[in-house]
Amino acid sequence: MGESRITKLFQSTPSGAGGQRILNVYCTAGYPQLDSTLDVMKALQDNGADLIELGMPYSDPLADGPVIQNSGLVALANGMTIETLFAQLKDARKEINVPIILMGYMNPVLQYGFERFCKEAAAVGVDGLILPDLPEYEFETEYGAFIKQYGLDFIFLVTPETSDERIKKLDSLSTGFLYAVSSSSTTGSDKNMTDVNTYLQKLQAMQLSNPVLVGFGIKDKQTFDTACSHSNGAIIGTAYIKALEGTNDVAATTKNFLKTII
Amino acid sequence: METTYQKPSSQGYYGKFGGAYIPEMLHRNVEELQSRYLDIMSDAAFQKEFRALLKDYVGRPTPLFYAQRLSTQFNTNIWLKREDLCHTGAHKINNTIGQILLAERLGKKRIIAETGAGQHGVATATVCALKGVECIVYMGEKDIERQAPNVARMKMLGATVIPATSGSKTLKDATNEAIRDWINNPNDTHYIIGSVVGPHPYPDMVAKFQSVISEEMRWQLKEHTGKDLPTHVMACVGGGSNAAGAFYHFLDELSVKIIAVEAAGHGVNSGMSAATTQLGKPGILHGSKSLLMQTADGQVVEPHSISAGLDYPGIGPMHANLFESGRGIFLSATDDEALNAAFEVSRLEGIIPALETAHAFAVLHNYKFKEDDQVIICLSGRGDKDLATYMKNM
């Protein structure tokens, strides 16, 4: 199998003076409207997002703060399901060229059928998965084989609390990139990022096999710049979902939002 | 490692249920618990302190009482394990005493907990007061309303009660909020889970702390009757902590029938129920794989029970395995059946049980015991907290 779309992105993106500045933006599938998923993705691509992380809504998202929780509840109320999402993504590759990552929690995926999920995700052009409550033991013993079989990347999270030994292990299991959580928090936290430099410098010095994207607490140009200074780029989620709240014009809102970041 | 009904695998699996499905942000804390809980709990000094507090503070051993009039009514032998006589009024404190001592040894200065009926919240606030430790309890907004006396008790004990306003505003959501708090406070905080749910090692750790219930049942029954084993042990099950404690030392004694009673709410098929083994499918909630009430799309269903302590869409992985393997007999009682049973037990035995516990008594009407059976019912808590509900139904 050739290199994944995600790997190619990191390989082909030139490093400026401050290194790579890959921008991954999170959005919740089916938010703000059930059928706005593709419009949101298109707007993100058109306005400078290098990767799109598409959240699959879940009733009990443990790692998420109130803003993303709420977007998930709205999406569920709109009728979003994995089945519907795959139907929406069926023709996405006609318009969307950037890598697509599905992010979600294990339970809906298990009910859909893990292998069936991987197969259909790959078939509609999804490139990678982030499942924060799939631990590495179960990944190695049960689920990782399906992910690999269908050529999907799998991205593990590391945090400032993760030991060096474990960072190396999770890096060795990840493909595409490694997701560095900036501070010990749920998404959208306002914890300050003063210590994040030390942590990111440590990761940089470890010479990991994957590029590193930083997420959690990235909300504006300043935090994006801080995150990028010692990594390959960053992930923005909560701030973008906030921007989408109540909007009637996804394209304009996205354009205005990303203008403030890049 | 050999697993039994009682003992999970090294990865925390009871059959196919259990494990630790947690985001990386919780990994260090959960792994620390996994690697240390058995050593800490088997340490002689720990056991000495734990046993002394159970005896002198909680008031253990709790009596095993022969319920004469209930026995006559149902033409069998019914024994009541009086966990309602524990300090704070329920079995929950067996676990919180254990976990506060554990937290102390882990150097944690801040305690968080979730609570449904408020019994676990009160038991946690109590041990935090005893040890002078900060205590934050998450409780569903709906439960705060229906369990007002316990909210007042927690506050009087110095705890901060934070309402969980998401989802069904009950125990599931309080648990979500407690887990999110732990993610945000990884260094100084220990999460005292109140039931045999959550990521490994919680189900095993909580079951072990609660196993004092069945440990006492065994020697007490022997003392009363000369018999080594009862024929049946019964308990109500939400997450399942009193049941785990009551069943624990009988799980691998296959002659003893294990009866777990779930909350059927308005009826198992009414759409307003919390009978997880009847309605659930394998799924993942709060860090472990178990049976879970959910939609076809894998969204967690909001359960219903009149009793806040059983109003939970999941069940501990140990119990899910007892159900799947056929080792346990799983029955259910509706809101109305539980209410009637609470009045019946009050009048026949002079004991007002908690609404949760009343579910276990309700199935006496549906399950046929033999005249010479020796049936132990875990009377997990007292009914003071439910007086408002009881008064409405007088």
Side-chain angles (χ1 to χ4, degrees):
Chain A
M1 208 171 296
E3 272 152 359
S4 75
R5 208 179 264 117
I6 300 173
T7 300
K8 279 184 201 147
L9 169 73
F10 284 98
Q11 284 176 352
S12 65
T13 305
S15 294
Q20 276 184 332
R21 290 168 59 86
I22 299 283
L23 174 63
N24 179 0
V25 183
Y26 170 93
C27 54
T28 301
Y31 181 86
Q33 276 88 42
L34 179 62
D35 54 6
S36 60
T37 312
L38 282 189
D39 296 339
V40 169
M41 292 170 77
K42 186 83 174 28
L44 286 172
Q45 171 175 277
D46 290 349
N47 292 288
D50 301 303
L51 274 110
I52 294 171
E53 183 182 326
L54 198 49
M56 301 177 286
Y58 178 46
S59 55
D60 296 78
L62 284 183
D64 287 306
V67 173
I68 291 181
Q69 280 175 49
N70 184 56
S71 71
L73 291 180
V74 170
L76 288 175
N78 287 343
M80 182 47 74
T81 64
I82 291 176
E83 201 113 34
T84 305
L85 176 60
F86 283 155
Q88 290 181 349
L89 290 179
K90 207 161 165 263
D91 296 319
R93 280 296 173 208
K94 288 178 187 160
E95 293 180 295
I96 308 288
N97 311 309
V98 301
I100 302 169
I101 296 161
L102 293 184
M103 182 272 168
Y105 292 82
M106 273 296 277
N107 197 55
V109 175
L110 280 186
Q111 297 315 311
Y112 192 80
F114 199 91
E115 182 177 4
R116 179 179 165 223
F117 176 83
C118 293
K119 187 179 173 181
E120 300 199 7
V124 297
V126 167
D127 303 294
L129 303 178
I130 299 176
L131 299 169
D133 59 348
L134 173 56
E136 90 282 2
Y137 172 78
E138 274 73 16
F139 177 87
E140 287 190 276
T141 54
E142 192 164 356
Y143 301 108
F146 296 122
I147 297 169
K148 201 165 276 178
Q149 185 186 338
Y150 293 101
L152 296 167
D153 284 328
F154 191 85
I155 293 115
F156 277 95
L157 276 62
V158 298
T159 82
E161 313 293 328
T162 310
S163 68
D164 289 5
E165 193 189 347
R166 188 169 162 78
I167 290 171
K168 284 178 193 153
K169 167 103 198 246
L170 295 175
D171 176 48
S172 75
L173 293 176
S174 295
T175 53
F177 64 90
L178 192 65
Y179 191 138
V181 175
S182 68
S183 66
S184 305
S185 68
T186 42
T187 53
S189 135
D190 262 339
K191 279 195 184 170
N192 72 49
M193 298 206 353
T194 43
D195 295 336
V196 79
N197 274 329
T198 325
Y199 162 59
L200 294 178
Q201 272 164 345
K202 179 187 88 171
L203 288 180
Q204 217 170 14
M206 286 178 78
Q207 308 210 315
L208 301 171
S209 58
N210 286 290
V212 173
L213 293 186
V214 184
F216 288 42
I218 317 299
K219 57 185 174 192
D220 50 24
K221 182 158 175 49
Q222 192 201 336
T223 47
F224 181 62
D225 289 348
T226 305
C228 289
S229 62
H230 299 290
S231 71
N232 301 82
I235 304 163
I236 295 184
T238 299
Y240 178 57
I241 297 292
K242 263 188 198 163
L244 284 179
E245 251 166 32
T247 185
N248 296 319
D249 189 343
V250 162
T253 304
T254 304
K255 187 175 179 184
N256 291 335
F257 177 79
L258 288 183
K259 248 197 262 173
T260 67
I261 307 287
I262 307 171
Chain B
M1 190 167 80
E2 191 200 353
T3 67
T4 65
Y5 292 114
Q6 190 187 71
K7 199 168 69 175
S9 73
S10 59
Q11 294 291 329
Y13 279 93
Y14 301 85
K16 63 181 187 185
F17 300 115
Y21 294 81
I22 48 162
E24 182 63 21
M25 293 77 96
L26 290 175
H27 183 269
R28 201 190 62 178
N29 275 319
V30 170
E31 196 198 30
E32 182 180 35
L33 279 177
Q34 286 174 354
S35 62
R36 294 192 60 191
Y37 83 110
L38 291 173
D39 286 344
I40 291 175
M41 287 174 70
S42 59
D43 175 63
F46 179 92
Q47 277 300 324
K48 194 175 168 209
E49 195 178 355
F50 179 56
R51 295 283 164 170
L53 282 170
L54 288 184
K55 177 171 177 282
D56 301 324
Y57 188 68
V58 176
R60 303 203 73 91
T62 59
L64 184 71
F65 175 68
Y66 187 74
Q68 180 66 62
R69 296 185 67 202
L70 271 174
S71 297
T72 305
Q73 168 110 347
F74 293 102
N75 197 28
T76 188
N77 298 289
I78 297 175
W79 297 86
L80 305 181
K81 181 56 174 164
R82 297 291 309 276
E83 293 302 296
D84 60 316
L85 294 178
C86 287
H87 177 43
T88 71
H91 70 288
K92 290 289 187 187
I93 197 164
N94 302 326
N95 169 46
T96 61
I97 294 270
Q99 286 204 48
I100 196 79
L101 297 180
L102 187 107
E104 218 172 31
R105 280 154 180 81
L106 295 172
K108 304 292 185 179
K109 307 281 181 230
R110 179 176 176 272
I111 295 295
I112 55 172
E114 86 296 336
T115 197
Q119 289 301 121
H120 174 59
V122 168
T124 304
T126 299
V127 298
C128 288
L130 181 70
K131 290 289 182 180
V133 180
E134 183 186 3
C135 179
I136 291 110
V137 180
Y138 290 89
M139 187 169 186
E141 205 170 44
K142 185 171 156 194
D143 293 336
I144 287 179
E145 280 166 31
R146 58 180 168 172
Q147 302 286 342
N150 273 344
V151 177
R153 291 165 81 196
M154 284 185 267
K155 287 182 178 164
M156 189 160 173
L157 290 161
T160 305
V161 180
I162 302 181
T165 55
S166 60
S168 53
K169 304 179 174 56
T170 61
L171 181 54
K172 164 181 86 89
D173 311 285
T175 308
N176 287 342
E177 289 310 320
I179 292 174
R180 289 184 184 120
D181 179 307
W182 207 20
I183 287 174
N184 281 286
N185 297 283
N187 293 317
D188 61 344
T189 299
H190 175 67
Y191 177 18
I192 301 190
I193 295 185
S195 194
V196 286
V197 301
H200 173 59
Y202 278 101
D204 185 43
M205 181 168 77
V206 176
K208 279 189 159 72
F209 284 135
Q210 291 293 359
S211 70
V212 66
I213 299 173
S214 47
E215 182 189 306
E216 289 174 6
M217 284 175 178
R218 284 190 78 143
W219 64 257
Q220 288 172 320
L221 187 75
K222 176 94 176 167
E223 201 173 88
H224 282 294
T225 67
K227 293 179 197 297
D228 288 322
L229 294 170
T231 55
H232 299 77
V233 181
M234 277 171 70
C236 64
V237 181
S241 70
N242 92 86
F247 299 162
Y248 197 84
H249 290 288
F250 301 112
L251 287 172
D252 296 316
E253 301 280 3
L254 300 183
S255 74
V256 180
K257 292 200 169 68
I258 301 293
I259 302 178
V261 185
E262 295 181 291
H266 293 185
V268 170
N269 297 313
S270 65
M272 295 278 282
S273 178
T276 302
T277 61
Q278 310 304 310
L279 298 167
K281 287 179 294 177
I284 293 167
L285 180 69
H286 298 145
S288 61
K289 188 185 272 184
S290 188
L291 292 169
L292 176 62
M293 291 170 57
Q294 54 189 312
T295 64
D297 194 45
Q299 307 298 336
V300 182
V301 162
E302 296 183 1
H304 166 82
S305 169
I306 191 172
S307 99
L310 305 182
D311 203 351
Y312 186 69
I315 186 169
M318 173 205 271
H319 296 300
N321 186 49
L322 293 178
F323 175 75
E324 284 262 317
S325 64
R327 174 69 187 93
I329 299 165
F330 282 71
L331 305 172
S332 65
T334 64
D335 291 352
D336 288 345
E337 289 168 340
L339 274 170
N340 290 336
F343 284 94
E344 183 172 45
V345 174
S346 300
R347 285 167 193 171
L348 285 177
E349 297 294 343
I351 299 169
I352 299 175
L355 258 172
E356 290 76 15
T357 314
H359 286 73
F361 285 99
V363 303
L364 286 172
H365 290 276
N366 305 327
Y367 190 86
K368 196 77 194 122
F369 293 101
K370 292 205 287 286
E371 199 173 339
D372 59 350
D373 280 346
Q374 301 290 335
V375 182
I376 304 182
I377 300 178
C378 187
L379 212 166
S380 55
R382 68 179 186 222
D384 306 39
K385 70 182 177 59
D386 297 310
L387 272 184
T389 309
Y390 291 154
M391 282 161 70
K392 267 187 244 164
N393 289 279
M394 271 175 195

